[in-house]
Amino acid sequence: MYRQADKKPIKKDRQELIFAYVRENGSISNKEAREILCLAESTTKRILNRMVQDGTLTVRGERKARVYVSAIEL
C-alpha cells in the first residue's frame, strides 16, 4: 500500500508525463492521456481538469473533440 506521503510524487510524475506529451505533440486528448498513464477515464479526466485549474493546460473543443494544450508559452 502507498502511504499518503507517497501519492504526491506519483501525481507530479503523471502531470509531467502529460505535459511532456503536450510539448512534443502540441495537444493531448483524454484517450491519449489514458494510454500513456494506463489509468481509468475518470482518473485521467480528473488529472487533466486539475492541470487546467492550475493554469498548466487549456481546453480546446468539446466532448469527443476536446483536447488539452499548453497554457504556458514555450
Side-chain angles (χ1 to χ4, degrees):
M1 286 265 198
Y2 290 108
R3 293 176 300 159
Q4 184 67 23
D6 293 339
K7 289 187 178 183
K8 287 189 180 183
I10 292 171
K11 179 180 173 184
K12 187 162 178 67
D13 290 344
R14 290 172 177 169
Q15 290 181 351
E16 287 174 3
L17 284 170
I18 290 171
F19 197 67
Y21 186 92
V22 170
R23 276 194 307 247
E24 230 175 85
N25 299 287
S27 67
I28 191 167
S29 67
N30 187 301
K31 181 179 179 181
E32 292 166 331
R34 283 195 324 259
E35 291 171 0
I36 292 168
L37 301 175
C38 299
L39 296 172
E41 181 178 2
S42 59
T43 305
T44 306
K45 194 180 295 186
R46 188 170 45 249
I47 293 167
L48 292 167
N49 286 334
R50 173 64 61 185
M51 293 178 75
V52 170
Q53 289 174 351
D54 292 345
T56 308
L57 298 177
T58 57
V59 178
R60 299 253 168 92
E62 293 183 23
R63 299 185 188 242
K64 289 189 177 195
R66 177 177 290 155
V67 293
Y68 299 84
V69 297
S70 175
I72 301 168
E73 292 294 323
L74 303 175

